[in-house]
């Protein structure tokens, strides 16, 4: 047998041995998304800044990744879209929203967390309302977005005043509808977050019955679908780093940030600056010990019969940058 034939035969054997690995590599390449679909809502400040500046498009271009944007009225439908695969990454949602998503069996990965901003949400009534305290909400119709951070704030405030969620008449309304119902007196009180809170405070005569101080920390979370986080950790890192940088810029340059956001939000700059002043925008990695309030929220909603099953809110996938 010639040396040439032997070399060819050995090369063929080596190639055949590599076929499974090559097939797996090809499949992996096909499973690596080249577009990241980002869901956000009006209160998603940092993502709105990134979108307006086309920052992520620029930062992800070297990875060959494009960005598509999808707006939602509130956090719950946003995470429902994330759960069914309509979006890949969720802009910040209030701490209550992931709890509802987890109860529905969502396969989510926590990407980042904003430090607490308890005063960025509140229960408001009109200035001339006979309702003087949270205790006076008994039997009253209260508007708020279901599963939003304000949902938990309302329950916590009621419990502190000797009431339960069953003592009020809930009106589940997205912010725009809640504002309309509040203005026409279809509801007695409205529980809402910034920038909607600052807008109604500056544009109408209202009183705050309670904000999140000593009741609800109001930490907002950025999430991704677990399959996407596993397939594109490089994309997640770019997004995480961009959010961290943008959070610092918003706090260090409040007037510039307000000037950028005001036309996007349809609000005046003073209102935007007031709203941003209440948010921490301190983007940080999620640590297990920082998920304890998530469990308290889950237990509260379970106790009120608002979740279909008990949730272990701390046993969730958490993204960590590779060393």
């Amino acid at each position: 047998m010639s040396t040439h034939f032997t070399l060819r035969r050995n090369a063929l054997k080596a190639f055949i041995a590599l076929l499974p690995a090559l097939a797996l590599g090809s499949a992996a390449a096909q499973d690596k998304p080249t577009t990241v679909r980002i869901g956000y809502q009006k209160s998603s400040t940092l993502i709105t800044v990134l979108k307006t500046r086309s920052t992520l498009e620029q930062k992800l271009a070297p990875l060959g990744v494009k960005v598509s944007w999808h707006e939602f009225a509130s956090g719950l439908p946003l995470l429902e879209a994330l759960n069914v695969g309509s979006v890949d990454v969720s802009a910040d949602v209030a701490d209550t929203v992931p709890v509802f998503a987890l109860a529905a069996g969502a396969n989510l990965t926590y990407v980042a967390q904003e430090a607490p901003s308890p005063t960025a949400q509140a229960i408001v009534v009109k200035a001339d309302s006979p309702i003087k305290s949270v205790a006076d909400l008994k039997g009253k119709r209260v508007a708020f977005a279901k599963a939003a951070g304000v949902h938990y704030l309302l329950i916590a405030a009621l419990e502190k005043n000797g009431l339960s969620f069953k003592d009020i008449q809930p009106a589940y309304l997205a912010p725009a509808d809640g504002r309309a119902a509040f203005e026409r007196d279809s509801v007695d009180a409205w529980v809402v977050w910034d920038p909607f809170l600052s807008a109604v405070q500056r544009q109408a005569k209202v009183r705050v019955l309670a904000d999140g101080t000593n009741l609800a920390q109001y930490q907002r979370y950025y999430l991704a679908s677990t399959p996407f986080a596993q397939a594109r950790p490089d994309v997640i890192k770019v997004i995480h780093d961009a959010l961290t940088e943008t959070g610092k810029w918003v706090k260090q340059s409040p007037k510039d940030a307000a000037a950028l956001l005001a036309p996007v939000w349809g609000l005046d700059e003073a209102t935007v600056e007031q709203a941003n002043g209440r948010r921490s925008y301190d983007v940080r990695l999620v640590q297990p010990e920082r998920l304890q309030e998530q469990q308290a929220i889950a237990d509260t909603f379970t106790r009120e019969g608002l979740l279909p099953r008990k949730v272990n809110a701390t046993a969730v996938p958490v993204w960590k940058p590779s060393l």
Side-chain angles (χ1 to χ4, degrees):
M1 184 178 296
S2 69
T3 301
H4 179 67
F5 180 78
T6 301
L7 289 173
R8 288 182 61 187
R9 185 180 64 179
N10 290 342
L12 181 60
K13 286 182 178 179
F15 177 73
I16 292 173
L18 281 172
L19 282 177
L22 290 172
L24 286 173
S26 175
Q30 292 174 0
D31 291 341
K32 200 171 182 181
T34 56
T35 297
V36 55
R37 299 165 298 170
I38 300 178
Y40 67 101
Q41 47 185 322
K42 188 172 184 178
S43 56
S44 302
T45 308
L46 304 187
I47 283 290
T48 300
V49 172
L50 293 173
K51 179 178 182 292
T52 303
R53 289 173 152 183
S54 299
T55 304
L56 291 180
E57 285 84 350
Q58 298 167 24
K59 289 182 176 292
L60 290 171
L63 298 178
V65 174
K66 296 181 179 179
V67 182
S68 66
W69 301 95
H70 308 267
E71 185 173 359
F72 294 82
S74 62
L76 187 57
L78 170 49
L79 286 203
E80 287 172 347
L82 189 71
N83 185 31
V84 299
S86 298
V87 296
D88 305 304
V89 173
S90 162
D92 54 311
V93 295
D95 37 21
T96 54
V97 187
V99 169
F100 276 79
L102 291 170
N107 189 13
L108 307 176
T109 292
Y110 283 69
V111 170
Q113 173 196 67
E114 282 185 16
S117 303
T119 62
Q121 54 177 358
I123 305 171
V124 297
V125 295
K126 289 190 174 179
D128 59 358
S129 171
I131 298 172
K132 303 301 180 184
S133 69
V134 173
D136 294 336
L137 291 176
K138 185 173 183 179
K140 299 296 190 294
R141 188 167 172 77
V142 183
F144 57 94
K146 184 176 183 179
V150 292
H151 195 162
Y152 177 66
L153 168 61
L154 176 60
I155 293 175
L158 290 170
E159 289 185 348
K160 184 178 179 179
N161 286 270
L163 302 176
S164 75
F165 188 66
K166 295 181 178 62
D167 288 319
I168 59 108
Q169 299 178 47
Y172 296 125
L173 297 172
D177 295 330
R179 173 76 182 261
F182 182 68
E183 289 183 339
R184 65 174 178 261
D185 293 321
S186 297
V187 296
D188 302 292
W190 186 30
V191 200
V192 72
W193 61 95
D194 274 316
F196 311 103
L197 173 59
S198 289
V200 75
Q201 285 181 303
R202 293 180 63 83
Q203 297 166 2
K205 295 180 179 179
V206 300
R207 282 186 290 107
V208 171
L209 294 183
D211 61 25
T213 303
N214 299 321
L215 289 172
Q217 293 187 56
Y218 192 50
Q219 301 178 97
R220 293 179 71 90
Y221 289 87
Y222 298 84
L223 304 105
S225 72
T226 297
F228 186 88
Q230 292 174 342
R232 296 306 311 243
D234 53 342
V235 173
I236 298 299
K237 186 177 189 310
V238 169
I239 295 173
H240 182 277
D241 291 349
L243 288 168
T244 302
E245 293 170 5
T246 304
K248 292 176 181 177
W249 175 77
V250 170
K251 298 305 285 187
Q252 292 168 359
S253 309
K255 293 192 180 300
D256 291 340
L260 177 73
L261 289 164
V264 179
W265 283 350
L267 298 170
D268 63 274
E269 293 181 20
T271 297
V272 175
E273 191 171 349
Q274 176 178 305
N276 286 345
R278 292 173 176 157
R279 290 274 296 276
S280 73
Y281 297 126
D282 179 11
V283 179
R284 57 194 189 180
L285 293 174
V286 178
Q287 305 292 342
E289 61 270 18
R290 290 177 178 163
L291 290 172
Q292 293 307 312
E293 191 185 32
Q294 290 291 91
Q295 190 59 58
I297 291 170
D299 292 343
T300 297
F301 281 119
T302 300
R303 186 170 63 251
E304 292 287 348
L306 297 170
L307 292 181
R309 63 184 178 89
K310 187 174 177 61
V311 170
N312 185 345
T314 60
V316 292
V318 174
W319 176 81
K320 294 181 181 178
S322 57
L323 300 177

